Amino acid sequence: MTEDKTMQFKIRIGEELHGKIKESAEQAHNSLNTEILERLSATVKIDEFLKEKGEPYRYNNIIEMHSKLEAALQNTADVLARNEESLNTRLVEMEDNLLKKMAELMKG
């Protein structure tokens, strides 16, 4: 089994971006190096996914995919909320009917 060789290189990033990545790393309990590697690896996976789909990598594609995912999640949440409301209404109706039937049986 071959082992991947690691390579070291320097990059320059702005203070604001550095701060954001550092904050994300701390929240994830990662080192700054691990956080950068995970994020870089994620973008490579996105590239591979888009390539498999015949789509060139473009930042706009990522934004569009994210927007579609958000819309699908919101739609799912809306459907679930409507179903929950419908079920709650039906349960209240069933409870009312049961109480009426019980009252009728107690009278008779």
Side-chain angles (χ1 to χ4, degrees), residues 12-28:
R12 291 183 185 89
I13 61 172
E15 190 176 320
E16 183 179 350
L17 179 57
H18 179 270
K20 288 178 180 181
I21 295 172
K22 184 177 179 183
E23 183 178 326
S24 291
E26 289 170 356
Q27 289 176 353

Side-chain angles (χ1 to χ4, degrees), residues 43-88:
T43 62
V44 170
K45 288 177 184 176
I46 290 169
D47 288 348
E48 290 169 351
F49 172 80
L50 291 172
K51 187 176 180 180
E52 285 176 13
K53 301 297 179 192
E55 293 286 333
Y57 175 82
R58 289 192 307 265
Y59 186 69
N60 288 344
N61 288 359
I62 305 304
I63 292 172
E64 184 179 330
M65 286 170 45
H66 183 266
S67 295
K68 287 179 180 180
L69 179 58
E70 277 186 330
L73 289 172
Q74 184 60 54
N75 186 46
T76 301
D78 292 345
V79 168
L80 289 172
R82 284 194 302 273
N83 286 342
E84 182 179 6
E85 185 178 315
S86 179
L87 285 172
N88 286 337

Side-chain angles (χ1 to χ4, degrees), residues 1-46:
M1 184 161 118
T2 61
E3 187 175 316
D4 284 342
K5 293 182 182 182
T6 60
M7 302 179 72
Q8 185 176 17
F9 65 97
K10 293 181 182 182
I11 61 169
R12 291 183 185 89
I13 61 172
E15 190 176 320
E16 183 179 350
L17 179 57
H18 179 270
K20 288 178 180 181
I21 295 172
K22 184 177 179 183
E23 183 178 326
S24 291
E26 289 170 356
Q27 289 176 353
H29 304 289
N30 284 336
S31 67
L32 190 59
N33 186 70
T34 298
E35 186 71 15
I36 291 169
L37 288 174
E38 285 181 0
R39 287 170 175 262
L40 187 58
S41 177
T43 62
V44 170
K45 288 177 184 176
I46 290 169

